[in-house]
Amino acid sequence: MLQLRPNCECCNKDLPPDSREARICSFECTFCVSCVEGVLAGVCPNCGGELVRRPIRPAAKLAKYPASTERVYQPAGCGKVA
């Protein structure tokens, strides 16, 4: 199950579970669309994988399967593709 991380790893922007701006790689590294399209050019700086739009978990399922509250913020790695 996806963690639905709460923020962009580059700029720390909040990305709530229903955000259409969240992008993830296959390892669930999470970034905002601005960082992905600008700084990262669509490539995850952690694994080198493709960044795609994160799916939105239905609101009815969030109570049983809540989004993660653990923030990952690694601005030093942004822009350096793995």
Side-chain angles (χ1 to χ4, degrees):
M1 175 153 336
L2 290 175
Q3 288 183 336
L4 301 180
R5 295 179 185 166
N7 66 302
C8 174
E9 290 184 28
C10 278
C11 70
N12 208 27
K13 178 180 182 174
D14 289 336
L15 295 169
D18 62 349
S19 176
R20 296 203 176 271
E21 293 186 21
R23 302 292 184 264
I24 60 171
C25 71
S26 64
F27 291 95
E28 298 181 52
C29 301
T30 304
F31 304 94
C32 70
V33 69
S34 296
C35 288
V36 168
E37 292 177 356
V39 178
L40 302 175
V43 179
C44 178
N46 301 321
C47 70
E50 176 186 22
L51 291 163
V52 298
R53 188 169 83 71
R54 180 179 73 188
I56 294 174
R57 186 166 297 155
K61 298 291 183 183
L62 277 173
K64 185 172 181 180
Y65 306 103
S68 174
T69 58
E70 181 182 341
R71 297 180 81 84
V72 177
Y73 182 47
Q74 306 179 99
C78 291
K80 298 177 187 175
V81 177

